[in-house]
Amino acid sequence: MPTGKDIRQALLTGFWFMFLTFPLLVIKVHPIEQTVTWRWANMLWVGGLSAAVALACRLVAAHRAAGGERRRQEPDRAIAAPSQAFFLTPSRLVPLLAAVGLFFLVFPLLFSTYQVNIMTTALMYVVLGLGLNIVVGFAGLLDLGYVAFYAVGAYTYGLLHLHFGLGFWTALPIGGLLGALFGVLLGFPVLRLRGDYLAIVTLGFGEIIRLVLENWGDFSQGPSGIANIARPGLFGIEMSLETSLVYQYYLTIAMALLTIFVVNRLRNSRIGRAWFALREDDIACQAMGINKTAIKLTAFALGATWAAMAGVLFAAKTTFINPASFTFLESAIILCIVVLGGMGSIVGVVAAALILMLLPEYLRAVAEYRMLVFGAVLVLMMIVQPQGLIPRVRRTYTGSH
């Protein structure tokens, strides 16, 4: 049962949300008629729903706290979060994966070209989120300039096509290699930095790349960008716009599956264990004989590789790029995907990327309140599941009894 303190806190939350949303939901100005409409009922709805949600969250938190100690698992077994228990059951996991795979396979047959285009964008952010997950989730290196590597890949394809007429399949590996090179170039100056200092330097790196692309017109075409970039080809076959979009959709699915496979193999490899050790305690990591320099540079290089390859996909999809597409906001969105999904969790990052990219589009039915609802959903998710949607499975080892 809720206590008096719980009810007071819930009411306070409701009043706070009423205050925050008052200008947006209560006041409606009609410029042409020069009148103002006061919608007081909206404020009551917001206050009541906010208080109810806050009270429910407090009750859930209290129930979890009273649940007692976590049950001990068998030696050498992984302890999974409750939200991930479903995915760890093979009898449920295989049918689920089959259903998800079938859905994505027939998606272009069931939905319009517009929906296919949205899903393609969401899948590109799956690749970006998994790439940043290597740096932030696995190695614990806060990178706020990740969009710079995304820009490197996009401009690699754009410039190679503009000046040399190279196609998508030639530019894709070149973009990945240049992304890895820029990742190493970023990694060397920040080898001794951690926390806030690392975040500031990586943020500066991202802004440097954007400003260079914006101001060095002879090299990057400046703010006007690069247009008429060729879409991916298939053995020289001529494709209509709709067919080309569907082809890019399946191509992006293949890229996302490859990324999931490689990142999962890296997570369970020796270098993946070294990343997690670096994330938990870099001093203890070095004391165990792990080369911190090589581990950090590898994390930056591999994360940047996937960002650059996603950038090549982006340039091929939009056929136009300019520096305005690679602002700090893009880095923040990709970081939100990693944090919301669960740092170090592959399934969580995939789910968060799809939610963050698709939810704003499908909330257009409530266009006036779309971003408000979107922000409220994110806040609610982080309150209910602060470790992310599907937290990483943490392995613990116990001795024999």
Side-chain angles (χ1 to χ4, degrees):
M1 293 296 294
T3 63
K5 182 179 179 181
D6 292 333
I7 296 175
R8 287 194 301 271
Q9 290 293 331
L11 291 175
L12 181 61
T13 302
F15 281 117
W16 179 244
F17 271 92
M18 290 166 63
F19 172 75
L20 289 177
T21 59
F22 180 84
L24 180 63
L25 297 182
V26 178
I27 304 174
K28 185 174 183 179
V29 180
H30 304 278
I32 298 177
E33 296 85 356
Q34 295 185 353
T35 58
V36 178
T37 302
W38 299 89
R39 301 172 293 181
W40 299 107
N42 289 351
M43 187 173 67
L44 296 178
W45 275 107
V46 169
L49 289 175
S50 302
V53 171
L55 183 59
C57 292
R58 291 184 68 86
L59 292 178
V60 169
H63 177 72
R64 288 181 177 179
E69 297 181 357
R70 183 181 297 176
R71 291 181 300 173
R72 292 183 178 273
Q73 303 293 322
E74 295 294 329
D76 298 348
R77 291 284 300 275
I79 295 180
S83 60
Q84 206 164 10
F86 179 85
F87 297 97
L88 295 179
T89 307
S91 61
R92 296 176 179 176
L93 179 61
V94 174
L96 177 64
L97 291 178
V100 171
L102 181 62
F103 171 76
F104 278 101
L105 188 63
V106 301
F107 188 87
L109 305 178
L110 302 177
F111 297 93
S112 65
T113 304
Y114 171 71
Q115 305 291 341
V116 172
N117 195 39
I118 294 173
M119 186 61 73
T120 303
T121 302
L123 290 170
M124 282 198 301
Y125 276 88
V126 168
V127 177
L128 288 168
L130 290 172
L132 184 59
N133 198 31
I134 294 176
V135 183
V136 178
F138 292 0
L141 304 171
L142 184 55
D143 186 355
L144 295 182
Y146 191 68
V147 73
F149 308 119
Y150 189 35
V152 166
Y155 269 88
T156 295
Y157 182 30
L159 292 172
L160 288 177
H161 181 267
L162 176 66
H163 296 296
F164 304 102
L166 296 183
F168 171 82
W169 294 107
T170 305
L172 186 63
I174 296 176
L177 291 174
L178 283 178
L181 175 62
F182 274 83
V184 172
L185 292 177
L186 170 63
F188 267 113
V190 302
L191 286 175
R192 296 181 178 272
L193 300 179
R194 292 184 296 175
D196 299 339
Y197 302 101
L198 176 62
I200 292 172
V201 172
T202 54
L203 174 61
F205 177 79
E207 287 301 297
I208 288 171
I209 294 294
R210 185 184 65 83
L211 291 173
V212 167
L213 294 175
E214 191 166 348
N215 292 285
W216 193 1
D218 294 336
F219 170 70
S220 64
Q221 309 298 308
S224 59
I226 303 173
N228 299 321
I229 301 174
R231 299 182 186 274
L234 181 63
F235 303 113
I237 300 175
E238 292 289 335
M239 291 184 285
S240 64
L241 177 60
E242 183 176 352
T243 304
S244 178
L245 291 175
V246 173
Y247 173 57
Q248 290 177 63
Y249 166 79
Y250 287 115
L251 184 62
T252 311
I253 285 182
M255 177 64 72
L257 290 175
L258 176 63
T259 307
I260 292 171
F261 174 77
V262 173
V263 172
N264 183 61
R265 296 291 293 177
L266 287 171
R267 180 182 63 177
N268 296 320
S269 67
R270 183 175 180 179
I271 191 172
R273 301 295 183 198
W275 283 335
F276 285 117
L278 179 68
R279 169 185 167 180
E280 298 299 332
D281 192 326
D282 62 339
I283 296 177
C285 172
Q286 188 174 17
M288 293 298 293
I290 297 175
N291 187 339
K292 287 201 309 180
T293 299
I295 292 300
K296 286 185 177 182
L297 291 180
T298 304
F300 277 116
L302 289 175
T305 298
W306 294 112
M309 294 175 73
V312 175
L313 280 172
F314 172 76
K317 174 179 175 292
T318 60
T319 69
F320 170 78
I321 54 174
N322 69 344
S325 300
F326 309 103
T327 61
F328 168 71
L329 181 60
E330 290 296 315
S331 289
I333 291 174
I334 303 169
L335 183 60
C336 284
I337 289 173
V338 176
V339 175
L340 181 65
M343 295 177 62
S345 169
I346 295 176
V347 178
V349 169
V350 173
L354 294 176
I355 291 173
L356 283 178
M357 291 298 106
L358 298 179
L359 191 59
E361 294 295 333
Y362 291 110
L363 286 175
R364 289 187 183 275
V366 287
E368 189 175 356
Y369 312 113
R370 179 166 61 107
M371 297 312 295
L372 178 64
V373 174
F374 178 59
V377 170
L378 293 183
V379 171
L380 179 63
M381 291 172 70
M382 294 311 296
I383 291 175
V384 175
Q385 194 76 355
Q387 297 300 319
L389 288 174
I390 305 174
R392 176 176 66 93
V393 176
R394 299 178 65 89
R395 295 188 177 271
T396 124
Y397 300 94
T398 59
S400 58
H401 297 287

